[in-house]
Amino acid sequence: AQKAQLYAALAGEVLTRRTARRYDTESLALAAKLLELNPEVYTVWNFRKEGIASVLDGGDVEAARDCAKQELELTQRALMKNPKSYATWQHRKWVVGRKLMPVERELELVGKLLDADERNFHGWGYRRWLASLVALSPESELEYSHQKIEQNFSNYSAWHYRTALIPKVHAGHKTLDQLCQEAKGSAIGEDGSAAKPESNTAGCGVQQHEGEGAGVVVPMWVLLQELQLVKQAFFTEPEDQSGWFYHRWLLGACLASANQSTAAKTSLLEALEGESSMCRELLEEEPDSKWPLLTLARILELQRQLGIGESLATAHETYKQLAETDPMRAGYYRDALSGAARVTIPPT
């Protein structure tokens, strides 16, 4: 109770000084003390921003660097208190973005954080921000994500990072919009003239990527390599969902790539056979395992969309099995049966 009273008194004093716009050394020291106790107080971080902005942005470079160093030390102490503090990470970005201190040191520090806690998504977000700030190549970041995955397959952030990096690495290839314009450009208008290609990808049969690198069609050979990589995660821990989410993204990217050539489509059809066999192999060990079941159903539907494979009856029976073994998501599986879920053909 006494600690709570002392904290309340300190917080009240700091907020009073902020209202009065007192940016003297004593006021900022009290703010720092409060933030070390509770790093999540956004208002107090903003108080410090107001108090030191003139120093950081002033003409005295030496004073600005000293101030930035002290502020980074404060955020480091705050992150030791709470490594997942949104407010602290944002404040650190605010300081580092001025490039008064070596950004390479920041990469080293966040690397140590991700070694200790490889799934800290705040650390991954900061890493991506730093990579953009200093223009690290997507190739080097792709290799970094590979290293982290090899350390621990159960790393959703590392898998997700690859969905942004792979399209960037292969940005020289045709975009989805270009492919769709080519497909629609051959259409004939009502007056007998060539129809004007549309600028969006709706209805062209090509699936879009989301986020960074949006619109890039990744070469099929790259995606097939990624399927082999993620397969290692499935046989290590088939119930871990991180790799399965990435696998779903890969299937969507494969569909987009298959529109580029007959050879790419043939490669995809062969790959889908291998992926369905993989799911069945996993299910031999764990017949009710959710992720192999769900992925198998989706693959069966994709095969039917592409004109091969079994009837949809097997996929629908799989969804019914999932509704029984995973009742919390039974509504989703019912949507899949009705054709309302993604990568699903309505029952015939």
Side-chain angles (χ1 to χ4, degrees), residues 26-40:
E26 182 185 28
S27 297
L28 294 178
L30 289 173
K33 184 177 180 180
L34 178 60
L35 289 167
E36 289 185 51
L37 292 172
N38 181 9
E40 281 300 308

Side-chain angles (χ1 to χ4, degrees), residues 220 223-224 227-228 231 247-256 258 264-281 292 295-310 343 345:
M220 184 63 72
L223 299 170
L224 296 182
L227 286 172
Q228 291 302 311
K231 187 179 293 186
H247 186 269
R248 188 179 187 185
W249 177 83
L250 286 174
L251 292 181
C254 283
L255 282 176
K265 183 176 180 180
T266 301
S267 296
L268 173 58
L269 296 177
E270 293 175 355
L272 289 177
E273 287 290 339
E275 296 305 295
S276 63
S277 297
M278 173 197 69
C279 291
R280 288 189 169 96
E281 184 177 348
T295 302
L296 177 60
R298 288 170 174 162
I299 289 172
L300 292 172
E301 291 181 308
L302 289 178
Q303 288 176 318
R304 290 298 296 156
Q305 286 184 24
L306 295 167
I308 66 166
E310 308 170 18
V343 198
I345 302 175

Side-chain angles (χ1 to χ4, degrees), residues 11 32 35 49 109 119-120 126 132 136-137 139 153 189 232 237-238 253 270 275 283-284 291 337:
L35 289 167
K49 287 184 178 71
L109 287 173
R119 296 193 296 181
N120 186 321
Y126 190 60
S132 176
L136 292 180
S137 71
E139 289 83 359
F153 284 121
Q232 299 176 44
E237 183 50 70
E270 293 175 355
E275 296 305 295
L283 290 169
E284 288 178 3
W291 291 104
L337 283 168

Side-chain angles (χ1 to χ4, degrees), residues 39-40 78-89 113 117 119-123:
E40 281 300 308
L79 288 171
M80 291 178 68
K81 176 79 173 181
N82 180 6
K84 296 183 178 181
S85 167
Y86 286 91
T88 308
W89 284 111
L113 169 68
D117 182 9
R119 296 193 296 181
N120 186 321
F121 68 89
H122 295 272

Side-chain angles (χ1 to χ4, degrees), residues 92-103:
R92 195 171 182 92
K93 285 183 181 179
W94 181 79
V95 177
V96 173
R98 285 164 165 75
K99 296 185 178 181
L100 293 166
M101 305 295 289
V103 179

Side-chain angles (χ1 to χ4, degrees), residues 56 146 178 183 192 253 261 263 342:
L56 294 177
H146 193 176
Q178 288 172 328
S261 67
R342 190 177 180 185

